[in-house]
Amino acid sequence: MRNKTRDLFKNRWVRIVCYGLLLGLLCQVYISPFAYTSYVVSLGTPAVNALLLFQPELPVLPLLSIMSAAACLLRGTVGAVGNTGFMSMFLPALFYYGIYSILVSILFRIFNHARKFHLMMGMIVCDCAANAVQLALMGHPEGKAVIYSVLISVIRGAFVWLLYCMYEWEHLYLSKKEHQSHYAQLNQIVTDIYAESFYLKKSMEDLNELTRKSHQLYEDLESRGQDGQQALEIAREAHEIRKDYQRVAEGFSALIHEHEEKSMKLSAVLQIIEDNTKRQMAQRGKLLTFQVRLNTEMQIQHYYDLFTILNNLLVNSMDACEAGGHIGLSAEKQDRMLVLTVTDDGCGIDPDMQEYIWGAGFSTKYDKETGQMSTGIGLCHVANVVQYLGGTVELKSQPGKGSEFQIMLPAEAL
């Protein structure tokens, strides 16, 4: 039954009839601002103005004709029931809604593709004209009544326009936030792929070296009259694995280049990192403060490298901090170096461990539910990327007081 009703309202003319009847009902919500009760100000006009602003594709003349017929008949019925008289209430409504419907239909027929602001101004003019005609036909053409009716038309038109602008601003704000969130997620995904691609390339180099050494071992064994076939087989298998790695790495590279831009402003990079970090804090339930400070601006070509470096450091800082902790990220330029500093007031790192944290596989973190240790690949990857860019990374840390990672990268390498 519900599906049938839903399908029924998908019909265009059914919707127009329903809209028209609803607007006719809204026309019965009114006030009498003047001493004579036959002139009223209803909610129907601002409602139809708002509807036409939000859905300008609706056929205006049929919609307003249904609204006018419903409004006039209901207004007359109310007058008859209230002993005011059917015609005394019916005729003023007919004068206003009839003129208004004709004028607005002409407006939308001629200026259908005009800007929304111009259409709103046109509807206010139509409202004023319909009010003036109604007052004249009712025998109240005096200037004071006309001025008041024009003022009422302008006020309710301005109210509708303000409502429409608020909706548009909110819609634009939500769209912008959604776009930023989607863009940040996309950059995070591509950054992760970029990081994996980095290790694939490193593994390919290692496999090249393994292939070379295995082949050299084969030649040495053969030259001494020993069986070197096993060493040759290792060289062949390493070569085949390298080719598979190369296909995967090329696929990653194609995916990265499909979504990447040539360069990004440093401020845009830090904005994405800030949004992503705050989202991760919320997802983890981490009640931390995070502050970003930018003292320079520059174009970054290797921005995925910055994402990789900073994301790894910030995740470590989040893990190190307790509730109420603080994490800071700053960027400034010193001579020809870009200096990135990540600070936190977390648990810190023991001096005896600081020289080992950059090694692959070293970690003090583990999953509290499973007991499984972390891979320990984050800081190792940071060190590799920083070295690849020709920079340096320094650590200052005290147990119980927090840590500071300072990355210095040549500006021209970025």
Side-chain angles (χ1 to χ4, degrees):
M1 183 65 182
R2 183 180 298 177
N3 291 334
K4 290 182 179 180
T5 304
R6 188 182 305 161
D7 293 338
L8 180 64
F9 278 95
K10 288 181 180 179
N11 184 282
R12 185 188 187 194
W13 291 106
V14 171
R15 287 192 295 115
I16 291 170
V17 171
C18 291
Y19 279 142
L21 294 175
L22 179 60
L23 290 170
L25 285 173
L26 288 175
C27 290
Q28 309 317 306
V29 182
Y30 57 83
I31 60 172
S32 300
F34 303 142
Y36 37 87
T37 58
S38 55
Y39 178 83
V40 298
V41 178
S42 76
L43 187 61
T45 302
V48 74
N49 289 348
L51 179 63
L52 292 177
L53 281 179
F54 287 109
Q55 298 190 46
E57 73 281 356
L58 291 173
V60 179
L61 184 58
L63 174 68
L64 294 183
S65 298
I66 296 171
M67 179 196 77
S68 299
C72 294
L73 291 173
L74 287 171
R75 190 73 60 81
T77 302
V78 170
V81 173
N83 298 322
T84 306
F86 180 88
M87 295 305 294
S88 63
M89 295 293 287
F90 175 83
L91 285 178
L94 180 62
F95 294 153
Y96 173 77
Y97 289 113
I99 297 298
Y100 180 75
S101 299
I102 293 171
L103 292 177
V104 172
S105 299
I106 294 173
L107 171 71
F108 272 79
R109 186 174 182 83
I110 298 176
F111 301 104
N112 187 35
H113 299 293
R115 296 175 59 184
K116 294 292 182 68
F117 177 75
H118 296 152
L119 288 175
M120 188 66 249
M121 294 299 101
M123 286 189 285
I124 292 176
V125 171
C126 293
D127 190 9
C128 293
N131 276 325
V133 172
Q134 181 194 29
L135 288 170
L137 293 175
M138 290 166 55
H140 298 283
E142 58 268 18
K144 188 175 182 181
V146 173
I147 291 174
Y148 284 160
S149 68
V150 169
L151 183 61
I152 290 170
S153 299
V154 172
I155 290 174
R156 61 184 177 185
F159 174 78
V160 171
W161 181 247
L162 178 62
L163 181 67
Y164 177 77
C165 289
M166 289 174 63
Y167 170 81
E168 287 293 307
W169 289 334
E170 182 69 15
H171 181 70
L172 182 63
Y173 173 77
L174 292 176
S175 297
K176 183 178 179 181
K177 292 295 291 183
E178 183 179 355
H179 174 74
Q180 287 179 339
S181 176
H182 177 73
Y183 190 66
Q185 291 173 359
L186 181 61
N187 272 284
Q188 182 62 45
I189 291 170
V190 177
T191 299
D192 292 341
I193 294 174
Y194 181 85
E196 297 303 323
S197 177
F198 185 94
Y199 276 105
L200 274 175
K201 292 176 181 178
K202 184 176 182 299
S203 297
M204 287 165 58
E205 294 175 2
D206 294 339
L207 286 169
N208 274 337
E209 184 66 16
L210 177 61
T211 302
R212 188 190 65 79
K213 290 180 178 179
S214 299
H215 195 270
Q216 183 64 48
L217 177 60
Y218 161 75
E219 291 181 344
D220 291 344
L221 290 173
E222 290 292 326
S223 66
R224 294 199 295 264
Q226 299 177 3
D227 184 10
Q229 288 301 312
Q230 190 171 5
L232 182 60
E233 187 63 27
I234 292 174
R236 289 173 179 169
E237 290 181 2
H239 181 67
E240 289 300 316
I241 295 173
R242 183 197 175 281
K243 289 195 294 184
D244 292 337
Y245 274 31
Q246 184 175 5
R247 282 193 291 271
V248 176
E250 289 173 353
F252 278 175
S253 297
L255 183 60
I256 292 170
H257 293 314
E258 180 181 348
H259 294 284
E260 72 178 349
E261 300 177 16
K262 290 184 179 179
S263 65
M264 289 180 65
K265 287 185 177 181
L266 179 59
S267 58
V269 173
L270 295 188
Q271 182 63 57
I272 292 172
I273 290 173
E274 181 179 6
D275 292 342
N276 184 60
T277 302
K278 289 181 178 179
R279 186 170 57 253
Q280 284 185 305
M281 288 179 181
Q283 291 172 348
R284 295 183 177 199
K286 287 279 190 176
L287 301 177
L288 309 173
T289 58
F290 178 49
Q291 184 177 13
V292 177
R293 182 168 54 87
L294 176 64
N295 293 330
T296 187
E297 183 65 286
M298 59 185 292
Q299 288 293 129
I300 307 292
Q301 291 185 335
H302 297 281
Y303 50 88
Y304 286 126
D305 291 315
L306 290 193
F307 285 133
T308 299
I309 293 169
L310 295 176
N311 284 343
N312 276 290
L313 292 178
L314 290 169
V315 166
N316 284 349
S317 291
M318 276 190 275
D319 292 335
C321 290
E322 299 293 336
H326 175 76
I327 299 174
L329 168 61
S330 66
E332 59 183 346
K333 201 163 180 190
Q334 296 180 4
D335 296 328
R336 297 183 178 181
M337 304 293 286
L338 173 63
V339 181
L340 302 169
T341 307
V342 176
T343 60
D344 66 68
D345 55 5
C347 60
I349 303 172
D350 192 277
D352 295 336
M353 294 185 178
Q354 291 182 17
E355 62 179 300
Y356 302 108
I357 64 173
W358 308 105
F362 179 86
S363 178
T364 59
K365 296 184 291 184
Y366 64 93
D367 191 313
K368 293 181 179 180
E369 295 183 359
T370 64
Q372 185 175 359
M373 290 295 296
S374 172
T375 59
I377 205 74
L379 290 178
C380 175
H381 189 41
V382 168
N384 286 338
V385 175
V386 170
Q387 184 179 10
Y388 167 76
L389 293 172
T392 59
V393 56
E394 295 181 359
L395 167 64
K396 297 177 183 178
S397 183
Q398 294 184 31
K401 293 186 177 181
S403 302
E404 176 184 294
F405 289 86
Q406 187 177 79
I407 302 95
M408 301 187 70
L409 302 170
E412 62 271 13
L414 299 172

